[in-house]
Each structure stands twice: as structure tokens, then as C-alpha cells.
Amino acid sequence: MSIFGIFRGSSSESNAQQAANAKLQADILKSIKSHKVPDAIRDRLERARSGKLPWIATLTAAELAIARSHGFRPIAAVSATCWLHYGYSWTNGHAQGWKKALTRLSREAKAAGANAVLDVKMRTIPLNLNDSMDFTLVGTAVWVEGLPPSSEPIIATVPALEFVKLLDADVVPTGIAIGAHHEWITSNRNTTWLGNTEMRALSHLWERARRKAHNHLRENAKDQGNGVLAHLNFSQMFEAEQNDNRRYLARHIVVATTVDAQPGKPLPHDIKIVVDIHAGRTPLTGTARHHQSYGTSEREGAI
């Protein structure tokens, strides 16, 4: 046997592995079409729920200690993904992609016997494929003592410490809401700007993109709770030349954890829609571990 054959192993082992991989891929594709959790993943999650497998958590040691002291029992790390072609509508595509991934994450958490998923991170793969994007979610499925009964696990981007703080204030995270909007305008190529003159067309375009994204967020959130923590706001502006004109594209996306206060109790003053637009770096492409999306990192890929 050649030196390369030693590392490759026997052809029978290679063929068996290829057959196993093909079977797994076929099961995943079948499960996606039938809106079910793949058999191999369901088996792993059921063993994690019963304690036959060690539990896995994305939480830090400090977060885990606080969470367990408040009746949180970690079960398993769960993840879900959707690669969506959104060439027809960037605005609708981002909401659709995240919603599909959220639905799959919820199914995995339910299969694990969880009633909540904490510390959900939203990630994307930095591949240059036109008009498409990967929507991936990773979080920790947990059982929370005392949560109101629900047929669907709670999905929250807030980390465990924030989740505990909200529960202590009688505010229950209920899910994730998405709002997005993009819009083009055309300007005459020969237009010149003299002095400190406001570019009103671009100001209005920027304002419309943000306002409509937040309107979509409210629509998406209204059936999930009575408040939102809108911690992700991301804006982009592009210029393109077309014939004798300049075209400008503005787009904005906002992501929020929806919350619900207990009946008769007002929401804390800081539970509201927050527009986080400033001249500095967007919080979505910084170095903080939580609440990032749409930026790139050579170590971890886009977040």
C-alpha cells in the first residue's frame, strides 16, 4: 500500500463512509421538504434530553452558573440554517430567510424537550453568490422552570444573564422579529452640490428605508408580544451609474427579540424599539460577542 493509501484507508471503508454520507444528506433533504427534523439529529437530541449524552451549551461559565441558579437546565446546542435566493425582493428575502431558519431551530429545540433557546447568534457565510445569502442560527436549548406553558419553544437572541434579568422583571422573551426595506432613487448625473447644502433626496431616501424597516418590524412583532428589544440595526447606501443618471440604493434591516410583560404590569422603561444609528461603527460589525450580523471576520466568517 502506498503512503497515500495509508491515510486514505481501504477502499471498502471509503465506500462505506461515502454511502453513509449520501444517506445522511438524503435524509436531511427529505426532512427539509417534509418540515421535520432529520432522523440522525432527532436521535441525538432525544439522547441529550434523556441524559444519555452530555449536554452542550454556548453559555459562558458565569452565565451557566446564574442560569442554573434560576432554574435553567441546559439540554443541547441547537442550530438551523436556510440558504435563500432573494433576487426577487431583498426586503422580503431577509425576513423569509431568517423566519425559515427560526422555524427549523424551534423544531430542533422541541425535539430536545426544551421550552426556550437562549443566546441565539445570527451568522452568515461570506460567499459571493449573487442574490442569495445563508441564514444560520446557533443557540442553547434549555428547560426553564416556571415559564408559561407553550407548544413552541421561546427563541431569544438575548444571552442567559439578560434572559434571567427580564424574567426577574416579569418580562418574558417570546421570539424574534425581523424588519427590512430597500429602495432605489435616480438622480440626474449633472447635478452638482455647492457649499454646505443638504442632499434632501438622499436624506428622504435614508429616512424612508429606516422608517419602513421599522414598520415591517412592528408588523412582524405584533403577534408575538407587547414590546421589542431592537438591538440590531444595519444600514447601507450604494451609488451606481446608469446611462446619464446616478442611482442610489438605501437599505436597512432591524432585528429584535420580542417580549411580553405579565398582565397588569407595565414594561420596564428600557423595553422599546431602539433606533441605533450613529456616525461611528455599526454594532453589527464590531468585536462584541453578541448581537452581530452581516459583518465579516476572517476567523469566524460573517456574523
Side-chain angles (χ1 to χ4, degrees), residues 78-82 100-106 108 135-138:
V78 291
S79 63
T81 190
C82 170
K100 283 182 179 291
L102 283 166
T103 298
R104 291 168 184 168
L105 190 74
S106 178
E108 282 206 11
F135 300 86
T136 295
L137 301 169
V138 180

Side-chain angles (χ1 to χ4, degrees), residues 184-191 237-249:
W184 287 91
I185 65 168
T186 300
S187 175
N188 188 289
R189 187 174 186 176
N190 296 322
T191 299
M237 177 81 82
F238 300 95
E239 180 186 52
E241 292 192 7
Q242 185 180 51
N243 300 326
D244 292 329
N245 296 316
R246 285 193 178 94
R247 300 189 72 207
Y248 296 91
L249 168 66

Side-chain angles (χ1 to χ4, degrees), residues 81 104 203 206 255 274:
T81 190
R104 291 168 184 168
S203 294
W206 207 230
V255 181
V274 179

Side-chain angles (χ1 to χ4, degrees), residues 245-268:
N245 296 316
R246 285 193 178 94
R247 300 189 72 207
Y248 296 91
L249 168 66
R251 60 190 189 185
H252 184 77
I253 187 166
V254 55
V255 181
T257 289
T258 58
V259 297
D260 200 11
Q262 296 298 319
K265 295 187 178 182
L267 286 169

Side-chain angles (χ1 to χ4, degrees), residues 119-140:
D119 195 39
V120 174
K121 296 179 176 66
M122 309 173 76
R123 299 184 179 276
T124 62
I125 297 175
L127 294 180
N128 188 23
L129 297 179
N130 292 335
D131 297 333
S132 70
M133 177 175 162
D134 166 68
F135 300 86
T136 295
L137 301 169
V138 180
T140 298

Side-chain angles (χ1 to χ4, degrees), residues 80-208:
T81 190
C82 170
W83 198 298
L84 186 84
H85 179 273
Y86 56 83
Y88 175 73
S89 173
W90 185 93
T91 296
N92 295 331
H94 281 255
Q96 290 170 357
W98 287 123
K99 284 179 182 177
K100 283 182 179 291
L102 283 166
T103 298
R104 291 168 184 168
L105 190 74
S106 178
R107 292 195 190 106
E108 282 206 11
K110 193 173 183 179
N115 59 3
V117 184
L118 310 182
D119 195 39
V120 174
K121 296 179 176 66
M122 309 173 76
R123 299 184 179 276
T124 62
I125 297 175
L127 294 180
N128 188 23
L129 297 179
N130 292 335
D131 297 333
S132 70
M133 177 175 162
D134 166 68
F135 300 86
T136 295
L137 301 169
V138 180
T140 298
V142 299
W143 176 262
V144 183
E145 296 291 344
L147 272 186
S150 174
S151 58
E152 296 296 331
I154 292 171
I155 310 294
T157 58
V158 294
L161 295 181
E162 293 179 19
F163 198 99
V164 168
K165 192 172 181 179
L166 288 172
L167 292 183
D168 286 344
D170 291 325
V171 178
V172 180
T174 57
I176 296 176
I178 312 290
H181 183 73
H182 81 295
E183 189 172 328
W184 287 91
I185 65 168
T186 300
S187 175
N188 188 289
R189 187 174 186 176
N190 296 322
T191 299
T192 57
W193 307 95
L194 301 176
N196 295 336
T197 304
E198 180 185 5
M199 301 171 69
R200 292 189 177 183
L202 295 186
S203 294
H204 293 164
L205 172 64
W206 207 230
E207 175 64 21
R208 286 196 305 273

Side-chain angles (χ1 to χ4, degrees), residues 37-53 73 75-76 78 107-114:
V37 177
D39 292 340
I41 296 175
R42 181 179 295 278
D43 177 63
R44 173 177 61 82
L45 294 174
E46 287 180 350
R47 285 188 290 158
R49 175 175 57 181
S50 64
K52 295 179 181 179
L53 286 179
R73 179 172 63 85
I75 301 174
V78 291
R107 292 195 190 106
E108 282 206 11
K110 193 173 183 179

